[in-house]
Amino acid sequence: MLKKTIILSMGMALALGVVQAQKKAPAKKPSATAVAPKKEAAAKPAAAPAKLGDGTRFIEKVTRKGDEIIIPYEKYELANGLTLVIHEDHSDPVVHVDVTYHVGSAREQIGKSGFAHFFEHMMFQGSDHVADEEHFKIVSESGGTLNGTTNRDRTNYFETMPSNQLETALWLEADRMGFLLDAVTQKKFEVQRATVKNERGQNYDNRPYGLASEYAAKTLYPYGHPYSWLTIGYIEDLNRVDVQDLKNFFLRWYGPNNAVVTVGGDVKPAEVISLVEKYFGSIPRGPEVKKMSLPAPVLESDRYVSYEDNVRFPLMQMVFPTVPNYHPDEVALDCLAEILGGSNTSLFYQRFVKAQNALQAQVYHPAFELSGEFTVTVLPFPGKGLADMEKMVRETFVEFEKRGVTDDDLKRFKANYEVQSIEGLASVSGKVSRLASLQTFTGNANYSVKDIEAHRKLTKEDVMRVYNQYIKGKKAVITSVVPKGKTDLVAAPNNFTPDGSKYQAPADEYKGLVYNKAKDNFDRSKRPAAGANPVVNVPDYWQDKFPNGIRAIGTYTDELPMTSILMSVKCGHRMEALDPTKAGVAQLVAGMLEEASEKYTAEELSSELEKLGSSISVSAGNNEIAIEITALTKNLDATLRLAEQRILHPRFDKEDFERLKNQQLEGIANQANQPVAIANAVYNRLLYGEGNILAVPTAGTVKTVENITLDDVKKYYKDYFSPSLTSLVVVGNVTGESIMPKLDFLARWKGEKVKRAPVQLTPKIEKTRIFLVDKEKAPQSEIRIGYIAMKYDATGKYYKAKLMNYILGGAFNSRINLNLREDKGYTYGARSGFSGSDIAGPFTASAGVKGNVTDSAIIEFIKEIKLYADKGITPEELEFTKRSIGQSEALKYETQIQKAYFLGQIIDYGLDRNYTQKQNEVLEKIARGEINMLAHNLLPVDKMNIVVVGDKASLKDKLVKLGYEVVELTKDGEVVEGANFTLPVMPKPEPARNPKTAELPKHSQDKKMEP
């Protein structure tokens, strides 16, 4: 797996053509209101600050030397062993704080799996000086974002905040490092145990192929090896443990000497050091933690394992044990994986996907601290045996041996690495995360210098050597996942069972642990005051228009030597309303645009783009066909020449069309097995009504896609893919004057002026009903509750409705999520929100919940919505909403994609240049009474659809007792035979108004329909 680098030596930078960080803008610069170009802190002598606390040790200061492009940082170690890394970057008023503990599921024991991840959840449940749920609340109301993640080897916690909230972030992290355990209660333990079970159910047990990695892990690694179970753990282990087990885990692994605190952004190092010493310095050192090292698994023969799942496609996965991350052979193995199955030019794509033997075929090489796993995954079409797939995989390896590694292979791999490296510089959070990871696993935050050198020196001989050493003739774990009742499709009979007879448990790590709290000379219970609010500059931008109607908008930024162009053609699924029998044609058009052009085959186009490190992707949505072009600015001209071919000169080969159509049909059929997809499709069908194109999935149905011909694709492209419906967003180190001539091929684009398909009406909901779709024996249920509300506007009713919903279901600390997740433990997450565009969209409340509490979850959803509609927001909640949304402005414009989204909103909706200022004024002025009126008017709990996808046998009687009419539907959204209900039909449009009087004809005045 390629790792994003954050350091480039100038030797590599010159070879790759990367611009220097201090490169100045072209002659015409953005106005003073624009975000300042991102500049790293100026190089300074590598000396320690004048003042350090007792026991704090200066380790190193990495600065720019000569023309290097690096991420400067300073590194220190406190007396208690805590490592501190600081990166200074004043380009945006943002700070990112990351605390990484060198403990993941690899530190767990047999019978107690899932502890590391479970503990991650507990770290958000309050500490001595931070109340339950306050961590999320404090960060949110400060305008920040936060999260935590756990993997096999580490657990990290992080906040991105406005820079005036630095001290608050450090105070919060220190409090849970040093003062957690007394705040851990049995109730919190039980709620989070239920939440983790829900997470497992949602992401593993109730997800197609969700258990494949679990089967592979316990088959690949010896019994008792810490990688032989997944980070999520086993349900039976979670049921077995108690609060004291959890506390012992914290005491053993969560000491400051096993942690790295990394702080980056708009900060002053001296201030960071002082604050870290204050809040972390007195936390006692924990037990010593030794680096783990285990031998790689040895397979004496191929190990076959299989299981049945509720899936349409069988799946075969082969895993070869390889090397840990940062091993000298890792880069060559990454390159081998890329050549074999990393892109459309790869051997596996050509042999499996292009030849229509499989829907997907990939090769990748994830590497971890203790080992690596060279992985081949093939998803063949239904009915194809996995034994044949295994045979084809081995034949493809032989083909690779004969073909060898080419110069182009290396060029593509290194170009991709270069782009990933630069993209890692896009945000302060990305840079901080990289520094934290490198420091944790290598002890050297500057390790990327070695990584770059390894990529630069990689040769064709290196790649062939690792192939011969780790893959050729070597044994693998072959996992088969087959549809229920189709065991004849497995690659081979199961031949391996984990043997624990010779397992020897390691020494007890948890004896004699004592909880020692820090002793301070200040009051930790006092929340730090925020500094002055940072000044946030909204990106300045230019606008232009081509003679053929294409509108363009862009902003200059030299934060990265890259340019992104987002092209939107406002056709998409919505235009299929003009011929609903061909629903799904827009998605096929998008797919065909990624195939062959008049001058290039699809493989040639992909190869040229990969050698440039560029990408041109095409996708279809409800309202548009979107083209995203990303390139290093040095390669922009060459990339745009390829974009002209892809966008304006598609070849529309019949063979490509048949393959894509077949893939789309299989994808549609596959969705019928996925609870989330079923719930969304049925929900939309009920809301929009029969006859409305938005009631049909973007991909279409089996019936509509079977109707589509290649001529239909060509006709759609000719009729609707028009410059008159097109807009462009450009973000990068290019000015409007420099980029517009480069886009001249778009100015020459001919096309008829096209009107968008008219907005279609939606049926009213007469009363709240429950619509039940049976997903037999599903461990979880998917719930959707809502109605069609309103269309988007930036500063009016829609924007105010978003403010109103924030406390109901728009934040982690919302009423709905706190109730269903944090208080009840019903779900991994619950939410609500409005999603309008230029046409009215729905208000939706949703969650995936444990199956046995489905009825209770619906009761709580309705209770919270009704209570909010009746009683409204509290003064405290209103203040929280204002602070949270108001201060989050600092985080909105940091990256290229954030800037592009901002500009896209302006051009899509014709917004004023100062619309964000108007939003801030609305936010500041909105009163409790107006919020409450919006809640009362926009939350009609008696006129909403409730969709439930779950196990009918265990649910139906419980749902009937809720008092709503329960209507059974099929997975396709059809009414089950015998049910006394007719699916809603899209109402007919109103008669045309008299253009002079704007009055309706007399006979229809009393039959007005609401859109």
Side-chain angles (χ1 to χ4, degrees), residues 950-987:
D951 179 43
K952 169 188 166 182
S954 61
L955 292 180
K956 186 174 179 180
D957 290 345
K958 292 180 179 180
L959 296 179
V960 169
K961 290 178 182 178
L962 297 183
Y964 300 104
E965 178 185 351
V966 177
V967 179
E968 292 183 53
L969 301 179
T970 68
K971 293 177 182 179
D972 295 325
E974 298 290 344
V975 178
V976 172
E977 187 176 350
N980 185 24
F981 179 79
T982 303
L983 287 169
V985 178
M986 181 184 72

Side-chain angles (χ1 to χ4, degrees), residues 664-946:
Q664 191 159 319
L665 286 167
E666 292 296 343
I668 292 167
N670 189 44
Q671 294 290 300
N673 290 316
Q674 301 188 17
V676 172
I678 295 168
N680 291 337
V682 171
Y683 180 67
N684 285 336
R685 186 170 184 183
L686 291 167
L687 289 185
Y688 290 101
E690 297 293 293
N692 191 318
I693 194 64
L694 298 182
V696 181
T698 307
T701 67
V702 170
K703 183 177 180 180
T704 63
V705 175
E706 285 178 343
N707 285 340
I708 299 171
T709 66
L710 181 57
D711 285 340
D712 293 324
V713 169
K714 293 177 180 179
K715 185 176 189 303
Y716 182 102
Y717 178 83
K718 178 178 178 295
D719 290 349
Y720 308 136
F721 199 81
S722 165
S724 65
L725 297 179
T726 300
S727 61
L728 294 172
V729 175
V730 182
V731 180
N733 57 335
V734 291
T735 61
E737 289 88 345
S738 65
I739 190 63
M740 289 301 281
K742 298 177 187 293
L743 297 170
D744 184 58
F745 69 95
L746 292 176
R748 300 192 303 271
W749 179 14
K750 305 295 183 184
E752 298 294 328
K753 189 169 183 178
V754 179
K755 290 184 178 181
R756 301 187 72 187
V759 175
Q760 296 172 301
L761 302 178
T762 57
K764 290 183 179 180
I765 298 174
E766 298 173 355
K767 65 176 183 178
T768 297
R769 293 182 176 90
I770 294 176
F771 297 90
L772 174 61
V773 180
D774 186 21
K775 188 72 166 66
E776 187 178 356
K777 295 182 181 179
Q780 286 202 313
S781 298
E782 286 293 330
I783 298 174
R784 304 289 183 271
I785 304 172
Y787 74 104
I788 294 295
M790 72 195 88
K791 62 183 181 180
Y792 171 89
D793 70 68
T795 56
K797 186 176 179 180
Y798 181 85
Y799 176 68
K800 292 176 181 178
K802 300 273 277 192
L803 300 180
M804 176 272 289
N805 176 72
Y806 191 74
I807 205 67
L808 174 64
F812 184 89
N813 276 72
S814 69
R815 292 185 182 187
I816 286 174
N817 195 57
L818 288 184
N819 183 337
L820 274 77
R821 171 178 160 140
E822 298 301 301
D823 293 342
K824 304 292 191 307
Y826 290 168
T827 179
Y828 182 48
R831 63 207 62 82
S832 67
F834 294 86
S835 57
S837 61
D838 64 323
I839 57 177
F843 164 82
T844 304
S846 64
V849 304
K850 289 187 295 186
N852 63 348
V853 298
T854 303
D855 55 331
S856 300
I858 292 172
I859 290 171
E860 296 304 321
F861 262 121
I862 297 298
K863 183 185 79 173
E864 292 294 354
I865 296 170
K866 188 175 189 306
L867 179 64
Y868 198 53
D870 291 344
K871 302 294 184 181
I873 198 170
T874 68
E876 294 77 16
E877 288 171 334
L878 179 58
E879 284 306 307
F880 170 81
T881 298
K882 289 188 174 186
R883 286 194 299 268
S884 179
I885 295 176
Q887 293 187 89
S888 67
E889 188 80 5
L891 279 61
K892 286 183 178 178
Y893 314 110
E894 184 188 9
T895 65
Q896 283 197 357
I897 194 65
Q898 287 175 310
K899 291 180 175 70
Y901 176 77
F902 165 73
L903 297 178
Q905 291 286 97
I906 289 175
I907 202 164
D908 282 349
Y909 296 104
L911 302 180
D912 294 336
R913 184 174 287 266
N914 64 342
Y915 88 90
T916 56
Q917 180 181 335
K918 292 180 180 179
Q919 285 183 334
N920 291 334
E921 291 171 0
V922 171
L923 177 65
E924 183 180 347
K925 293 178 181 178
I926 197 165
R928 186 182 171 203
E930 187 171 7
I931 290 283
N932 292 349
M933 184 61 70
L934 287 164
H936 180 76
N937 292 337
L938 297 177
L939 300 174
V941 290
D942 58 338
K943 293 184 179 180
M944 293 187 183
N945 289 330
I946 302 174

Side-chain angles (χ1 to χ4, degrees), residues 160 163 175 201 203 260 263 358 376 464 483 499 526 569-570 576 652 674 731 794 812 816-817 834 940 964 1005:
T160 304
S163 54
D175 208 64
N203 294 334
V260 176
V263 180
V376 178
M464 290 306 302
D499 181 9
K526 186 178 180 181
V569 186
K570 298 298 181 186
E576 295 168 0
F652 290 131
Q674 301 188 17
V731 180
F812 184 89
I816 286 174
N817 195 57
F834 294 86
Y964 300 104
Q1005 293 256 347

